[in-house]
Amino acid sequence: MRRFDEMNKNVEILIAAAEDAGDIARLSYQVGKMHDEALPDYFKPTTEAEHLEIVRKMAADDKTVLLKAVCEGKICGFICLFMQETPRKGYVHSKIGYIYNFGVDEMCRGQGVGSLLLKKAEVFLRDRGVEAIELSVFCFNRRAIGFYERNGYQALEVNLHKVLQ
């Protein structure tokens, strides 16, 4: 496995194109499968084909942007961004960015790809007048929570859930 600094030099962050949907769906499925297995009482198991439909819908929405991380010609990560001009009333910020979906190939995790994607996403949004970014992460995903906290994100609210028998 490569060191972070070597990997970082070889990773490009680009806007994804329609033909990238299959590769991004494969990565989205990896993330989805992790959620399906961790919370079987909450998520129905998904398929890569279902993730392909999700990615195609994200790519077709003019309010979303898909960025891809490419290393040696292979997509190794992605992030889906959504921008909203008029958030909920009472907010300080008038333009909010949302991270809707985010994933790094299982074989590339822990090598800085996610941090690079996140930093490029923040610059992309800031350049478009976005003042703050929000996202959701499930409590079981301690690795993701730690990743976001290391990158300056903080918990804003907690949603609670109970399955009724």
Side-chain angles (χ1 to χ4, degrees), residues 82-84 87 91 93-98 130-134:
F82 175 83
M83 293 170 270
Q84 186 174 344
Y91 275 29
H93 305 289
S94 61
K95 194 168 185 184
I96 304 271
Y98 297 91
V130 169
E131 302 165 296
I133 302 173
E134 294 184 9

Side-chain angles (χ1 to χ4, degrees), residues 48-138:
E48 198 166 324
E50 289 171 311
H51 283 267
L52 181 57
E53 282 305 307
I54 291 166
V55 170
R56 285 183 174 151
K57 285 180 184 175
M58 289 186 300
D61 185 339
D62 63 351
K63 291 186 179 179
T64 63
V65 174
L66 275 167
L67 300 179
K68 64 182 177 179
V70 180
C71 183
E72 297 176 1
K74 181 182 173 197
I75 295 176
C76 57
F78 76 98
I79 191 166
C80 180
L81 309 171
F82 175 83
M83 293 170 270
Q84 186 174 344
E85 292 281 341
T86 53
R88 296 173 270 189
K89 291 185 190 252
Y91 275 29
V92 170
H93 305 289
S94 61
K95 194 168 185 184
I96 304 271
Y98 297 91
I99 297 174
Y100 178 71
N101 199 348
F102 185 17
V104 173
D105 190 302
E106 293 166 335
M107 302 304 293
C108 298
R109 291 182 190 156
Q111 299 180 46
V113 174
S115 293
L116 188 59
L117 260 170
L118 189 60
K119 299 248 181 293
K120 293 286 185 172
E122 290 170 358
V123 169
F124 182 90
L125 291 169
R126 187 179 312 113
D127 288 350
R128 282 148 186 83
V130 169
E131 302 165 296
I133 302 173
E134 294 184 9
L135 61 93
S136 293
V137 62
F138 284 91

